[in-house]
Amino acid sequence: MENTVFHVLNNLLLKRNDICTCEKCRMDIAAIALNNLPTRYVVTEKGELYTKLNEMEIQFEADIIKELVRAIEKVSRATKHDVE
């Protein structure tokens, strides 16, 4: 799930000029989205193949985009650049 979220996030951020894309903000956005998406653990090649097929479903990607957009809005309203 993490790889897919970061892939989709990178594509979304390419289209947005109105938000910060620094590493801290990107990680915050991904963490928020991942916390709101179902976990998907795989330990076998068959499981990985099944997960990749699932990732091709339109609803799967729509759910990820929805959570990423929510996370982007949340982070853009309250960036934490001065907090280490």
Side-chain angles (χ1 to χ4, degrees), residues 53-71:
L53 288 172
N54 244 357
E55 290 172 4
M56 289 190 247
E57 292 180 20
I58 293 171
Q59 186 60 52
F60 179 79
E61 187 170 348
D63 291 342
I64 292 173
I65 291 170
K66 177 181 75 171
E67 291 303 331
L68 281 170
V69 168
R70 286 181 182 173

Side-chain angles (χ1 to χ4, degrees), residues 32 36 65-75 77:
I32 292 167
N36 292 306
I65 291 170
K66 177 181 75 171
E67 291 303 331
L68 281 170
V69 168
R70 286 181 182 173
I72 287 169
E73 296 306 318
K74 185 172 187 174
V75 170
R77 285 192 305 269

Side-chain angles (χ1 to χ4, degrees), residues 1 4 38-57 60:
M1 184 63 86
T4 305
T39 56
R40 300 203 183 216
Y41 300 107
V42 294
V43 294
T44 64
E45 287 183 34
K46 184 177 179 181
E48 186 175 355
L49 179 59
Y50 177 75
T51 300
K52 292 209 181 284
L53 288 172
N54 244 357
E55 290 172 4
M56 289 190 247
E57 292 180 20
F60 179 79

